[in-house]
């Protein structure tokens, strides 16, 4: 539907009845200009966590299928309330759940992936002049059960709906004015970025900029759906997330991300022979535990140490798997550290310039922060550090790369890579 705009409102934006009414006024104004609008909403702020707490009060391991049904109710409430608010303003609106919008997913409860959307009914309702308000974060599995798309999943619902509807744009309304150089709630000097490329946003989302769920960026990139992140409290321009434009000047480093909830597991003194790493990581993969960074170093004769990092939420499970399978790779010692953070710098400029990783390491060392692990990609450098230095590291790097005022190509001297 050419000209259709899909707008997504996050939890804080619909966190109270007053805010829901404010969002309804914004939507009604757009609709008055003759634009077709479709809306995707999150649960009211705190609602998803509240529902999860209730389930955990009853059981340590509630069934994932039941969690999905429980959590999907949060988004239904806000969709219905916003629809009531729109109708009360005289703006005809209809709410739809994941099932009603025809959003079909695979069967993996609490982290389902979207297979397809059959939006026939929504298209008809919009053609008849309605605003369609969709409950985000949820779908229906091929078996017919309610599924959810992982935390932050309403972002992904919005982009998928925009693609299915053939919308021209997907706007993500949230509690900040756009995508910033780093978390604006941590660093007051953080600067709003006007444009971020899909590739950069993918790295930023996977490295902790929770402003967009990573799957949402993957879907937007795949279907070239332009995304705009903006505030639901004002009319500021926001940040455009789009395809790379080589003619545009880019800063060396666009963003600094952090992830606090990380842990490190070390198997000391495993035999230095073929098959050991395969055995360890096969066992973890079988338990569906995702591992992030891996380091192996040869210690004493015929022995090596293997360390890996992962989300602290999966630490206990990983340790249990390691203990259960220890007879295969006979570590002298199994230790873990749950006080670590991952700090990352991301920027398209790194493809063509060298010296950026070195500057990151120097900055951390000037602050007396020890680097425990390092990993890199073409447009990213990540370091694991002691979590008590997280804020210090993010602030120091933000200053070192001159990010609060950085005009294009301007975060300090770095050498152009020779071709
Ligand atoms: P919503 O409820 O609207 O989905 P989220 O809480 O999921 O909002 O995401 C917005 C939050 O993301 C902001 O309040 C901010 O603290 C955080 N954030 C982290 N990194 C960044 C960043 N680089 N740019 C913007 N926001 C960020
Ligand atoms: N309500 C869900 C969450 O809190 C989904 C979302 O807000 O995008 O994760
Ligand atoms: Mg979110």
């Amino acid at each position: 539907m050419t000209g259709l705009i899909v707008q997504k409102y996050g939890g804080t934006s619909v966190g109270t009845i007053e805010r829901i009414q404010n969002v309804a006024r914004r939507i009604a104004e757009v609709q008055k200009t003759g634009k077709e609008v479709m809306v995707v909403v999150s649960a009211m702020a705190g609602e998803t966590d509240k529902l999860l707490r209730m389930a955990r009060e009853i059981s340590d391991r509630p069934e994932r299928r039941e969690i999905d049904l429980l959590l999907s109710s949060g988004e239904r409430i806000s969709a219905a309330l916003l629809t009531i608010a729109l109708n009360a303003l005289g703006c005809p609106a209809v709410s739809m759940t994941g099932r009603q919008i025809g959003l079909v997913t695979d069967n993996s409860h609490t982290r389902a992936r979207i297979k397809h959307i059959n939006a026939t009914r929504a298209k008809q309702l919009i053609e008849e002049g309605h605003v369609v308000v969709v409950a985000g974060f949820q779908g229906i599995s091929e078996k017919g059960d309610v599924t959810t798309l992982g935390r932050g999943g309403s972002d992904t619902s919005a982009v998928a709906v925009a693609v299915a509807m053939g919308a021209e744009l997907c706007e993500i309304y949230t509690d900040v004015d756009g995508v910033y150089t780093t978390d604006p709630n941590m660093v007051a000097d953080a600067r709003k970025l006007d444009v971020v490329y899909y590739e950069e946003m993918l790295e930023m989302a996977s490295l902790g900029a929770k402003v967009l769920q990573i799957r949402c960026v993957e879907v937007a990139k795949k279907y070239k759906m332009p995304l705009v992140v903006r505030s639901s409290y004002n009319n500021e321009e926001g940040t455009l997330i789009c395809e790379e434009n080589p003619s545009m000047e880019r800063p060396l480093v666009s963003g600094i991300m952090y992830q606090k909830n990380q842990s490190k597991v070390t198997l000391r003194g495993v035999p230095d022979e073929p098959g050991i790493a395969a055995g360890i990581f096969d066992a973890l993969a079988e338990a569906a535990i995702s591992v992030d960074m891996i380091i192996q170093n040869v210690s004493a004769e015929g022995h090596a140490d293997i360390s890996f990092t992962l989300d602290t939420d999966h630490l206990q499970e990983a340790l249990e798997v390691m203990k259960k399978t220890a007879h295969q790779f006979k570590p002298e010692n199994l230790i873990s550290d749950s006080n670590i953070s991952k700090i990352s710098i991301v920027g398209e400029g790194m493809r063509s310039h060298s010296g950026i990783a070195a500057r990151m390491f120097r900055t951390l060392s000037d602050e007396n922060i020890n680097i425990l692990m390092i990993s890199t990609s073409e447009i990213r450098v990540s370091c694991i550090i002691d979590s008590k230095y997280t804020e210090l590291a993010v602030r120091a790097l933000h200053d070192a790369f001159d990010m609060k005022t950085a005009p294009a190509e301007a975060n300090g001297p770095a050498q152009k890579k020779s071709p």
Side-chain angles (χ1 to χ4, degrees):
M1 300 182 91
T2 32
L4 174 79
I5 292 184
V6 172
Q7 300 189 330
K8 180 255 170 179
Y9 290 91
T12 330
S13 307
V14 293
T16 62
I17 295 298
E18 217 175 31
R19 286 191 176 162
I20 288 177
Q21 287 171 316
N22 173 47
V23 165
R25 277 191 291 275
R26 294 178 73 108
I27 297 166
E29 256 163 47
V30 178
Q31 217 233 7
K32 259 195 234 146
T33 65
K35 279 250 176 223
E36 287 173 330
V37 195
M38 188 145 169
V39 180
V40 175
V41 281
S42 286
M44 294 166 81
E47 185 69 17
T48 309
D49 289 331
K50 188 182 99 192
L51 294 168
L52 272 175
R53 274 198 304 275
M54 285 163 78
R56 287 191 184 130
E57 265 178 43
I58 302 172
S59 163
D60 285 343
R61 292 204 180 182
E63 299 73 27
R64 301 213 333 239
R65 179 184 182 278
E66 307 314 322
I67 288 292
D68 274 350
L69 185 63
L70 177 70
L71 297 192
S72 71
S73 65
E75 269 67 13
R76 288 166 186 236
I77 292 170
S78 41
L81 290 176
L82 178 58
T83 307
I84 292 168
L86 282 163
N87 283 320
L89 291 174
C91 174
V94 179
S95 66
M96 292 180 107
T97 64
R99 183 196 296 273
Q100 287 171 314
I101 195 76
L103 193 155
V104 177
T105 71
D106 63 14
N107 295 316
S108 72
H109 285 289
T110 72
R111 44 173 179 251
R113 288 172 83 95
I114 300 173
K115 293 219 144 179
H116 53 84
I117 298 182
N118 175 1
T120 320
R121 183 143 174 245
K123 282 185 183 158
Q124 197 185 328
L125 285 163
I126 286 182
E127 270 160 18
E128 288 167 5
H130 295 91
V131 171
V132 171
V133 181
V134 179
F137 179 51
Q138 58 190 277
I140 196 89
S141 72
E142 284 160 322
K143 278 204 239 160
D145 290 329
V146 172
T147 50
T148 63
L149 309 177
R151 297 307 303 265
S154 299
D155 297 335
T156 306
S157 305
V159 179
V161 162
V163 170
M165 298 290 292
E168 68 171 36
L169 179 69
C170 180
E171 294 179 320
I172 307 283
Y173 285 90
T174 184
D175 56 1
V176 285
D177 291 351
V179 179
Y180 278 70
T181 48
T182 191
D183 185 350
N185 287 325
M186 179 191 267
V187 179
D189 284 342
R191 181 175 53 92
K192 189 181 81 187
L193 297 159
D194 294 333
V195 178
V196 177
Y197 297 147
Y198 290 131
E199 204 69 41
E200 289 174 319
M201 197 62 233
L202 276 178
E203 292 275 14
M204 291 184 184
S206 74
L207 295 166
K210 72 163 187 162
V211 63
L212 289 178
Q213 197 200 34
I214 183 162
R215 284 284 301 139
C216 129
V217 189
E218 283 168 3
V219 179
K221 177 172 188 272
K222 180 165 173 195
Y223 295 97
K224 301 189 171 56
M225 174 59 65
L227 288 181
V228 177
V229 177
R230 325 176 46 169
S231 165
S232 63
Y233 306 145
N234 59 42
N235 290 317
E236 296 289 317
E237 281 268 309
T239 302
L240 172 68
I241 293 138
C242 61
E243 280 195 288
E244 213 172 298
N245 177 354
S247 64
M248 217 159 155
E249 296 245 299
R250 296 299 290 158
L252 298 175
V253 176
S254 303
I256 298 173
M257 264 53 64
Y258 65 91
Q259 283 161 291
K260 277 184 173 167
N261 193 28
Q262 302 293 294
S263 289
K264 183 168 78 142
V265 176
T266 302
L267 290 101
R268 247 201 203 127
V270 294
D272 185 19
E273 61 188 41
I276 296 295
I280 293 172
F281 296 104
D282 271 351
L284 291 164
E286 246 165 60
I289 297 172
S290 315
V291 166
D292 184 14
M293 288 194 203
I294 299 172
I295 282 192
Q296 170 170 344
N297 40 22
V298 177
S299 53
E301 267 168 44
H303 282 90
D305 297 340
I306 295 185
S307 299
F308 60 86
T309 65
L310 75 178
D311 274 2
T312 300
D313 299 352
H314 300 136
L315 175 63
Q316 280 319 318
E317 221 179 319
L319 289 175
E320 278 165 33
V321 172
M322 290 296 93
K323 279 179 197 150
K324 236 187 258 164
T325 46
H327 60 277
Q328 289 174 35
F329 23 84
K330 306 179 193 75
E332 284 161 9
N333 215 343
L334 173 66
I335 47 177
S336 65
D337 179 356
S338 52
N339 291 317
I340 58 163
S341 287
K342 181 167 156 188
I343 310 290
S344 309
I345 58 174
V346 172
E348 274 291 329
M350 286 187 216
R351 280 191 209 280
S352 49
H353 289 79
S354 56
I356 296 170
R359 174 131 44 111
M360 179 180 193
F361 306 151
R362 170 64 49 209
T363 305
L364 295 176
S365 114
D366 287 347
E367 298 294 337
N368 247 331
I369 299 172
N370 192 26
I371 300 171
L372 306 173
M373 283 170 143
I374 297 168
S375 82
T376 62
S377 82
E378 270 201 301
I379 62 165
R380 165 184 64 84
V381 185
S382 301
C383 295
I384 296 288
I385 61 167
D386 187 328
S387 64
K388 68 174 182 247
Y389 298 124
T390 310
E391 300 204 16
L392 176 63
V394 172
R395 292 212 173 94
L397 290 166
H398 202 263
D399 281 348
F401 287 99
D402 218 0
M403 295 181 74
K404 71 176 166 208
T405 48
E409 285 274 1
N411 23 44
Q415 283 166 0
K416 196 115 190 154
K417 277 184 188 162
S418 38

